[in-house]
Structure formats: structure tokens, C-alpha cells
């Protein structure tokens, strides 16, 4: 039996990486180990090329963010994708290569080489695309093709994979016949649905779950159970399809943990803001605390090309309520493949959303950062303040956008800076 | 006695403007009238040059957004400020001229002329600045100076004014001696504090509240009770100063309503996300539902130059919880006077935040917009979808940023567009 992280944690072992993470996160190594053993924390790293940044995700830890990138069939530009990897290295905690255009193996390997972060994929893309190219139909891949693709990617060092195991054939048929505003918006999920319909067969991930667990145990990689039926419109949130798939995912996650395989569950999409807190609690309740990896949530359908902002609203609230890994959304969402700049805008918005959540989730531990910034802000110590902001470089540019301020305050209030007046008033009172 | 809107509403009268607003907001004119009578809805318009857009703010109505603009001592560029007015006309519901540099009367009149929206001001700025220029000390204005300034601005057609009446001398002295991270961040509020300290006298707005009410009744303008002690760091939220001032503001608001003068209360600033919902409920409870006009709230101190994004998180949640008017924050907040473009970025972020809130606050009435967008989105009817988005022009630019897509989907998934695959799958099942 492969000695996976969960199994080692269950034996009570604490390795050096665990200690390092525990220290960085400000929790005790014992607590971290126990949570890994229970499946409440996952611990992702690049198996083949150990990444510089080992990432732990889950209970009691800071909220992490994932940066998606990758080619499309219409735009294949490896240079640009590798620049996105650099952006992810700067701002993100994990990244996913979602390429569907060009030489998928070569792109994935280049991304993994360049990435300092653990890299995730959605392996059904490659199985589907290769079947499309070789057999003239995306759904014509065999179960062997699918699992061979997964193993090929694991060998390359993919650290986690979205596995759309929780959508059953029956649910797929019902959702396609339903009056949902948009029946399915998950690209990988719909490839699995296409396969089930074409083959008139149950979801191969579901029928071969135990085999999949063995494979992931062998490479000690993390399964991220995908949400093929996630809502793609706020009107569709928390219908029977959305919640039914979560129930199935929770069952599968428990089997994974029992088998010693680390697992996360993927969630949200479009969800109205009043449902965000409890949808996180629901996942935690159903699963006993399996890390929740949520896209957005996006609390409105109308905001493109500002879905990075609209979804940061949902993401911050989700993080505050206990979401563990936030999948970012860029300003190009719903409209286009994102540019490098749009990837960065999305990543920064999510870095901020994660911290807003952490101020709630972790309390003083996270708020220390805010307190420091405000300490220097109130004293008009601009350099000290700006260098502590989330993006000092851009902050400095804005601070000096009308030329370096000639006053103690900034160009907003100029001579009537309240902070400056207050400093003098307080001095006089002493 | 001047026949103010509240007084007319109390007499049971429904005027044409009320009917127009009721229809636009989808509420009955009777309900709107009764809420105006109770002070739960205010109704702002430019008295002298009736604005094209009469704005009602409060219970049961869509969330409104306010756009701040105005010169500083360091940057006086009327052209640029008037461009900001155009941005406000496009995206906003109300605007405030917060100019503190240049010829304040001339700027204000130009802004009011150009504005289609009701214009607000903070009159103590002008009293303070004129005293600074004429008497070599900002705090050297007399009570007559202050009220003359207010009347001059009302005559110009200012529709609402921030009146920092709720900060007492005692609270001001205590806050300046306190261990708050930043004692005071309100520019106008601190001018009043400076006056109280210099004159060793109580807040002139507080001592002359009845006179002020008469003046506002005469012009039938709206008082917005300012929050001089609003928290400027998340660590300072909901301390005795913040909450104490709200309690005082609630008392003053009740006196205003009784006197037939429309009133709002200003709130938040920096507030951690877990306190946003109840801070709105607190104001509603203390006041019996006086419209709450909140800045942000900003749930972290570290996000500049992205405070428009960080605060949109707080603003959306506040709106969902019942906040009525959201004062926007731009990417320049905490760093600089905003440029025209930054004003627009802030306004758009808040338009989105207000709608996210309304999807919760107003339910289906607000969600119709989302449902329409998603209907066309799911059918890949791009032109129909894009023209319904919050910013169709920019959305179209992003949609075509790699050239017009050559596929039915967009450049994100290209040939593997899930929506396109789903349409075919659903068709085959029928």
C-alpha cells in the first residue's frame, strides 16, 4: 500500500514539510497533522518537480487562490500562457492548466516547468480532444484512454486534478431535459455527459472510483471532485441538480479519505449573495469538513466584463464562511480567453477577496496586516504604508499620478488632509 | 410652515413625481407616499434646476449609488471635474461636489448645471476654507458664516448636504485621546472638530439643529447626517465612538422627520465583513428605518489601489442587508485625487455591487435582468446577451479582443464550448 500523506498523518507522523507549513500558517504541527488525517486539510505539491511552494488548504488555514490559464482552440500562444504562469507565481497559490488547443502534452510540461505552484488539470479535456482528433468524435474515448491520460499527466507531475465523478447519467439526462436557464456550463463536466450519452453508460469515474483512488494513491496526488452541474445562472443555484451532485460528491470524498487519498470538492458558480454563507456550511456539514474549492461564487449574471469584481464579492463572503480555495475569475469571463493582463487583474481581485475572508476566518492573525497598514496611514508615513499594501508598485503609481504630492497628505485633500489636522489636534490636547 | 415633501405625504397627497418614481421602482404610489411620510424613503431632487432624474432612496426601492467628485487644493481642473460629472450622469444616481480647491462657488454652480443628478455637498468645507483664506485659520469661521454658506449653497440648488451634527465636543476630545488606530478620517467631520476645539464650544450643528431644520424645510432639501467618527481602519469599527455617533445621529434624524425635513444617515467606512450585515440592521433598528447612506464598507485596509474592488464586497453585502445609498470608492482612494477614468471604474464597481444587493433585497424584480442575460447566454446569442450587460461597449471589446470569434462559442473554449455541446445534446434527447 502506498504511503500517502493521509496515511502517514494517521500514523501520527509529522514531516518537515508539515512543520514548515504549520509555522507559516501559525498553527501547531499536531493540529495540522490531525486535520490532514481527517481529510479536513489537503496538502498539494508537485510530485515530480517538488514545487517551491507547498500549499496546504483547509480548516484553520489562510484562504488560497487558484489561477486558471491555458490555450483555447482559437488562441494558442505558449509564450502568453507562460507569462500567465509568471503572474500566477506572483499572486496565486495553485494554478490549473486548462489548455484545449495546441500540443497539450508539451504545453502542460512547459507550464509545470515554469510553475512554482502546484499545477492542476482537468484530464478529461485531453481524452476528449484526442478522441476528437483521432476518432472524429470527442465522446469516442475509451475508459482506458481516460485513465491512461490521467496516468500520463500524473507522471508529468500534475499535483491535483478535477475529476467529474459526481454527475450520474440519470442526473445528466434530467438536467438536459430540465427548465434550467442554462443546463450545463462545465466544460469538462459536459464532456463526461457527452460520453455517458454516446455510450449509454454510467460515469466512468463513478464506476471506476476505487481504481482511480489506487492511481491517485500511487502518485499521492489530490483529487478535486468536479461539479459538472454547477449553476451557470443565479436562477439555477441550489436546484436539485446542483445540490444532488454535491451530495454524491460528499459520498465519494468520504471513500477517498478512507482510502488515504486527499480530496477537495469543487463548488459554486452563479449563486445569489444571500445563499453564499449557507452553501459553504452545507458542504462542510455534508462532508465533515472536506476542503471546499469554489469558483467565485458570482452573485449576478450581468457584470461581464467585470466578473472579477462581481465574483470577488461572492468569493470574499465564501472565504469568510469557510471556503478554502477560491478559483479566480478574470474580466474576460463569459466573453473571451483572458489576456495576461486580465489574468493578473483576476488574481489580484482574488488575493484581496481571500484576505477579506481571512480577516473574518482567522481574526487577529490575518488582521495584523491591516493594522500595520493603518498604523502608518494614520501617521502619513507614505513609504511605509505603500510598501505594505497588496500591490505597492501600482499603489505608488496612483499616489504620484499627478506628480509627487507637495503636501504631507495626498492630492485628494491636499492642505485639508484630515489625518494631518488630527495629528495636530491630538498633539495640542496632550 | 413650508410645505415639504414629508408634510405633503403626511397629508396623504401623491404628486406626479411620486407616481413616476413608484412606477419606475415597481411599488405602489401609496406605499411610497407612506414611507416618505414616515421618513423611510427620501426623495432627492435639485430644487432650483429640477434634475432629469428624481431619485428616491430607501425601503423597498432599488439600491442607489453616489459618485463623489471635486477639486483638491493640489489639483484644480474644472474640465476634468465636469468630465467626472458626465461619468456620474451615466453611471450614478446622485453625485457630491467635494471641491476644496479653486473658486468653490463657480465650480459648484458648473457642476450643478452639468449634472442630471441631484447634487450634494459638505458645506463645512467652504466655511472652513473661506475662514482659512480670509482669517488665516480654518476653524475661525463663525456660526453665521457656516449657516450663510449653507443657505448660499441651497440657493444654488444643492439637493442634499452632509451635516456633521452627531459628533459632540466630548466625543471629539475623547477620540483624539483614544488609542484608535486612526482617530478621525472624515475631512468635514474633522473641520467641525477643529472648530469645537478652537472655540471650546459644542458642535454648532447640534446646538442649532432646529434652526438648521427650518432652513432645510424652507428649501425642502435633504439632510445627510455625517459620520465624523466613522472607522478608518477595520480595527476601529464599532467602537464607542462609531456606535455612539450613530446613536446621536438617530436621535437627530427623528427630530428632523418630526419637523418634516427629509433625512438620511451616513455610515460605515472600514468594517470587517462579518460586521456588515448587522451594522446595517443596527441603523435600521435605532432609527425606525431612516435611509442609510454608507461609504463602502471597506472590509480590509490593505487593498489600495483596488479599494473600489475591496469596498464593492462590503457595499454589495450592505445593500443586500438593507443599505439604501452606496457611496462609491475609486481605485485612487487612500492615495490620490481620482482621475476621470478612476471615477468611472469606481462607479461601475458600485453599479454592480448595488445590483448584487438588489438581487437579494428585491428578489425576482431585480433578478429579471440576470435571467434575461443568462437566457441569451445559454443560447449563444452573443449580440442579445452583450447588449444587456452592465457595460455592453467594454464587454464587446473583450469579446472581440482576439478578433471576432470564428466559432459559435467564444475564444475561451472555442470548439469545445459546453453551451454549444449542451444545445446539441439536449436536442438529441428530445
Amino acid at each position: 500500500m502506498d504511503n500517502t500523506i493521509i496515511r502517514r498523518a494517521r500514523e501520527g507522523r509529522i514531516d518537515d514539510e508539515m512543520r514548515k507549513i504549520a509555522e507559516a500558517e501559525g498553527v501547531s504541527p499536531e493540529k495540522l497533522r490531525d486535520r490532514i488525517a481527517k481529510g479536513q486539510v489537503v496538502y498539494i505539491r508537485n510530485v515530480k518537480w517538488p514545487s517551491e511552494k507547498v500549499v496546504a488548504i483547509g480548516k484553520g488555514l489562510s484562504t488560497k487562490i487558484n489561477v486558471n490559464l491555458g490555450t483555447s482552440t482559437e488562441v494558442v500562444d505558449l509564450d502568453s500562457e507562460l507569462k500567465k504562469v509568471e503572474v500566477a507565481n506572483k499572486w496565486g497559490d495553485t494554478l490549473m492548466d486548462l489548455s484545449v488547443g495546441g500540443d497539450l502534452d508539451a504545453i502542460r510540461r512547459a507550464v509545470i516547468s515554469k510553475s512554482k505552484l502546484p499545477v492542476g488539470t482537468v484530464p478529461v479535456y485531453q481524452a476528449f480532444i484526442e478522441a476528437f482528433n483521432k476518432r472524429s468524435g470527442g465522446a469516442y474515448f475509451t475508459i482506458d484512454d481516460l485513465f491512461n491520460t490521467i496516468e500520463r499527466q500524473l507522471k508529468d507531475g500534475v499535483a491535483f486534478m478535477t475529476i467529474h465523478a459526481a454527475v450520474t447519467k440519470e442526473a445528466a439526462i434530467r438536467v438536459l431535459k430540465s427548465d434550467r436557464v442554462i443546463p450545463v456550463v462545465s466544460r469538462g463536466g459536459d464532456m463526461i455527459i457527452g460520453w455517458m450519452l454516446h455510450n449509454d453508460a454510467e460515469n466512468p469515474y463513478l464506476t471506476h472510483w476505487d481504481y482511480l483512488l489506487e492511481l491517485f494513491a500511487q502518485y499521492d496526488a489530490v483529487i478535486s471532485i468536479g461539479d459538472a452541474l454547477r449553476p451557470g445562472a443565479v436562477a439555477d443555484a441550489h436546484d436539485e441538480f446542483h445540490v444532488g451532485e454535491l451530495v454524491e460528491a460528499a459520498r465519494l470524498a468520504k471513500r477517498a479519505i478512507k482510502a488515504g487519498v486527499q480530496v477537495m470538492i469543487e463548488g459554486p458558480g452563479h449563486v445569489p449573495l444571500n445563499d453564499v454563507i449557507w452553501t459553504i456550511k452545507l458542504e462542510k456539514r455534508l462532508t465533515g469538513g472536506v476542503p471546499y474549492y469554489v469558483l467565485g461564487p458570482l452573485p449576478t449574471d450581468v457584470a461581464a466584463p467585470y466578473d472579477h469584481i462581481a465574483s470577488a464579492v461572492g468569493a470574499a463572503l465564501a472565504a469568510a464562511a469557510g471556503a478554502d480555495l477560491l478559483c479566480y475569475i478574470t474580466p474576460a469571463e463569459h466573453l473571451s480567453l483572458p489576456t495576461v493582463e486580465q489574468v493578473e487583474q483576476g488574481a489580484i481581485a482574488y488575493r484581496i477577496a481571500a484576505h477579506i475572508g481571512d480577516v473574518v476566518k482567522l481574526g487577529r492573525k490575518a488582521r495584523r496586516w491591516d493594522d500595520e497598514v493603518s498604523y502608518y496611514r494614520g501617521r502619513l508615513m507614505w513609504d511605509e504604508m505603500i510598501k505594505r499594501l497588496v500591490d505597492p508598485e501600482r499603489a505608488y503609481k496612483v499616489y504620484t499620478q499627478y506628480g509627487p504630492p507637495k503636501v504631507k497628505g495626498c492630492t485628494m485633500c491636499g492642505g485639508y488632509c484630515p489625518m494631518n489636522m488630527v495629528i495636530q489636534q491630538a498633539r495640542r490636547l496632550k
Side-chain angles (χ1 to χ4, degrees), chain A residues 232-309:
Chain A
V234 288
D236 294 334
H238 299 109
D239 61 4
E240 59 169 298
F241 306 109
H242 175 190
V243 181
E245 191 180 20
L246 175 62
V247 171
E248 186 63 38
R251 276 194 213 111
L252 293 169
K254 283 178 185 168
R255 282 170 61 189
I257 295 165
K258 207 170 164 192
V261 174
Q262 297 198 104
V263 66
M264 302 189 285
I265 290 179
E266 297 185 13
H270 296 235
V271 170
L273 200 62
N274 51 328
D275 295 342
V276 168
I277 295 175
W278 66 256
T279 202
I280 304 297
K281 307 289 181 198
L282 177 65
E283 188 267 0
K284 296 290 178 187
R285 183 70 187 77
L286 277 170
T287 63
V290 168
Y292 207 16
Y293 174 20
V294 298
L295 176 66
L298 188 50
T300 174
D301 306 346
V302 306
Y306 307 100
D307 277 331
H308 62 309
I309 296 178

Side-chain angles (χ1 to χ4, degrees), chain A residues 319-340:
Chain A
D324 305 286
L325 175 60
L326 305 175
C327 187
Y328 90 150
I329 286 174
T330 78
E333 183 77 13
H334 294 114
L335 294 168
S336 169
L337 193 77
T339 62
V340 176

Side-chain angles (χ1 to χ4, degrees), chain A residues 195-223:
Chain A
W195 188 93
M196 293 193 285
L197 296 180
H198 172 72
N199 293 283
D200 191 19
E202 188 47 276
N203 186 332
Y205 286 139
L206 195 54
T207 53
H208 292 65
W209 189 243
D210 289 326
Y211 176 63
L212 194 90
L213 294 180
E214 281 172 35
L215 199 57
F216 273 76
Q218 195 183 325
Y219 290 86
D220 205 3
V222 175
I223 294 176

Side-chain angles (χ1 to χ4, degrees), chain A residues 63-67 91-94 325-327 347-348 350-351 354:
Chain A
T63 305
K64 306 302 187 296
I65 70 166
N66 176 74
V67 173
W91 295 103
D93 297 300
T94 62
L325 175 60
L326 305 175
C327 187
I348 293 172
Y350 272 67
R351 196 78 269 163

